[in-house]
């Protein structure tokens, strides 16, 4: 059955992939974005489809005519570099923006999906991370603006579910990569690929022994769409449990790009989580979901995108 889906943050990396996949599946999409970290280039190819774009800051009231079946709330800066530069907009979109997006879903009697994050677990003392883990977050550290905004957003979403009966879902997204990440995104995979392709040193923070688990974008989108149509209202981790050190992913990217770049070590950011790996038992059980794209395939596709992007507009790393 065809649905009308609102996506906040539709011009972002994940938002634009969600919009495209939903259109491919025959749904109508309304994308909202204030373009703070999003880019219209990510959605330009969707204009002739059943896609309406509204440039709007969702910390202000959202006016929208007609029925809405789903609200996917994706708007937020999400790269550590962005939320360090934009601490107050990050807190505002997580708090006020989530309130407005929930209000829209409630008014339209729509199903709501919150883009939450593995950052709610902070620098985790439990490994791998299950949804039942409450986390280890420093509220006044530099990452606190994002982590606490998302934790607040989860609490607000849960309150709308409990007190207003809203059909609300929470996806905790772990590190994801793929085409449409920005060249200057600041996160590990886009940084390393852009550096390797431009023959610059790869900047590994600290000794590179900290771990992450990287999921390819199409696997993530598949998991989100399964959650959206599921019966569950409990938070669900979506991510790839294949864990590796930051040094390993940097080395892999040098090999796959065939670059002569070397690795240099820079200061480790404050409160950088030591380890991260999703326990995806819940997604496997409730959604019958499992990632299927290998790191080599995912990186190869992402490198191809970055090669094209850099050929259009070379950017200093
Ligand atoms: N990182 C790095 N070099 C970079 C960018 C990131 O070594 O140029 C490290 C960062 O310190 C962290 C990991 O890579 O340990 C993943 O960082 P990212 O910014 O991608 O996201 P996070 O998982 O920290 O939110």
């Amino acid at each position: 059955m065809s649905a009308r889906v609102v996506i906040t943050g539709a011009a972002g990396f994940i938002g634009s992939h969600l919009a495209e996949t939903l259109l491919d599946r025959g749904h109508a999409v309304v994308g909202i974005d204030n373009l703070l970290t999003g880019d219209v280039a990510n959605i330009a190819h969707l204009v002739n489809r059943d896609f309406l774009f509204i440039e709007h800051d969702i910390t202000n009231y959202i006016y929208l005519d007609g029925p809405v079946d789903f609200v996917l709330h994706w708007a937020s800066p999400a790269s550590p570099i962005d939320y360090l530069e934009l601490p107050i907009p990050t807190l505002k979109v997580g708090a006020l923006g989530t309130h407005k997006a929930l209000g829209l879903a409630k008014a339209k009697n729509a199903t709501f999906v919150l883009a939450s994050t593995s950052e709610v677990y902070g620098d985790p003392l439990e490994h791998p991370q299950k949804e039942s883990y409450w986390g280890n977050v420093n509220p006044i550290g530099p990452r606190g603006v994002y982590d606490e905004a998302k934790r607040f957003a989860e609490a607000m979403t849960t309150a709308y579910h409990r007190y207003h009966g809203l059909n609300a879902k929470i996806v905790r997204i772990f590190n994801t990569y793929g085409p449409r990440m920005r060249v200057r995104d600041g996160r590990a995979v886009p940084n390393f690929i852009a550096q390797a392709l431009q023959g610059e040193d790869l900047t590994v923070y600290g000794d590179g022994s900290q771990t992450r688990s990287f999921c390819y974008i199409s696997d993530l989108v598949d998991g989100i769409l399964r959650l959206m149509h599921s019966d569950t209202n409990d938070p669900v981790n979506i991510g790839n449990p294949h864990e590796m050190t930051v040094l390993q992913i940097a080395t892999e990217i040098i090999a796959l790009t065939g670059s002569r770049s070397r690795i240099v070590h820079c200061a480790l950011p404050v409160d950088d989580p030591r380890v991260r790996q999703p326990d995806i038992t819940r997604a496997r059980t409730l959604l019958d979901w499992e990632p299927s794209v290998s790191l080599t395939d995912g990186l190869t596709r992402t490198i191809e995108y970055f090669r094209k992007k850099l050929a259009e507009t070379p950017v200093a790393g």
Side-chain angles (χ1 to χ4, degrees):
M1 208 186 67
S2 168
R4 189 166 186 241
V5 184
V6 171
I7 305 176
T8 74
F13 162 50
I14 301 176
S16 67
H17 281 282
L18 280 171
E20 186 170 348
T21 306
L22 285 163
L23 290 167
D24 289 347
R25 296 189 185 182
H27 302 295
V29 175
V30 179
I32 306 178
D33 206 299
N34 68 349
L35 305 177
L36 183 63
T37 56
D39 187 344
V40 279
N42 290 336
I43 48 172
H45 63 298
L46 305 179
V47 283
N48 291 322
R49 306 182 64 179
D50 198 349
F51 180 67
L52 171 69
F53 178 65
I54 302 171
E55 187 174 339
H56 178 69
D57 174 354
I58 57 142
T59 60
N60 299 310
Y61 194 91
I62 307 166
Y63 295 91
L64 189 65
D65 283 338
V68 174
D69 302 297
F70 295 91
V71 175
L72 308 186
H73 177 37
W74 251 254
S76 176
S79 162
I81 296 276
D82 288 333
Y83 52 77
L84 294 185
E85 277 174 14
L86 303 164
I88 294 168
T90 301
L91 282 159
K92 283 179 72 179
V93 75
L96 308 178
T98 301
H99 184 219
K100 298 292 180 288
L102 282 163
L104 175 69
K106 177 168 161 271
K108 303 288 186 181
N109 202 15
T111 296
F112 182 84
V113 186
L114 171 68
S116 186
T117 166
S118 54
E119 283 285 324
V120 300
Y121 303 123
D123 189 3
L125 304 177
E126 184 180 299
H127 191 68
Q129 293 77 52
K130 285 195 191 69
E131 290 87 347
S132 53
Y133 178 49
W134 291 355
N136 176 39
V137 171
N138 174 5
I140 57 164
R143 300 174 85 101
V145 297
Y146 183 66
D147 302 7
E148 297 295 7
K150 288 293 186 182
R151 289 168 68 97
F152 175 89
E154 287 203 8
M156 187 69 133
T157 300
T158 305
Y160 266 66
H161 172 61
R162 289 203 185 121
Y163 298 100
H164 292 312
L166 187 77
N167 188 11
K169 293 152 198 314
I170 296 172
V171 52
R172 293 188 180 148
I173 300 169
F174 283 65
N175 293 70
T176 301
Y177 68 98
R180 299 197 200 133
M181 290 185 102
R182 297 158 307 165
V183 172
R184 284 181 177 281
D185 181 271
R187 282 176 282 195
V189 170
N191 267 12
F192 294 160
I193 294 178
Q195 289 161 344
L197 290 178
Q198 297 181 119
E200 295 163 8
D201 293 340
L202 272 65
T203 53
V204 167
Y205 300 158
D207 64 4
S209 64
Q210 69 273 33
T211 69
R212 294 294 186 273
S213 311
F214 296 95
C215 184
Y216 188 66
I217 182 67
S218 59
D219 280 334
L220 177 84
V221 166
D222 179 44
I224 292 165
L225 298 190
R226 282 173 193 246
L227 175 66
M228 165 181 157
H229 292 294
S230 75
D231 292 335
T232 190
N233 299 110
D234 293 328
V236 179
N237 290 338
I238 300 282
N240 192 320
H242 179 58
E243 183 182 5
M244 67 187 65
T245 66
V246 168
L247 203 53
Q248 281 171 332
I249 185 117
T251 309
E252 185 72 23
I253 287 170
I254 289 178
L256 287 173
T257 50
S259 170
R260 289 191 180 173
S261 296
R262 288 171 315 174
I263 287 172
V264 291
H265 292 272
C266 308
L268 188 68
V270 176
D271 294 339
D272 196 284
R274 281 295 312 152
V275 290
R276 187 180 288 154
Q277 187 201 135
D279 180 316
I280 59 164
T281 309
R282 192 176 280 181
R284 278 197 181 108
T285 316
L286 296 181
L287 311 178
D288 193 23
W289 175 85
E290 181 120 36
S292 67
V293 179
S294 70
L295 186 73
T296 310
D297 283 355
L299 283 179
T300 304
R301 290 181 220 173
T302 312
I303 290 166
E304 203 175 308
Y305 170 84
F306 272 75
R307 261 193 223 284
K308 283 200 193 115
K309 225 23 201 187
L310 285 167
E312 286 162 20
T313 43
V315 179

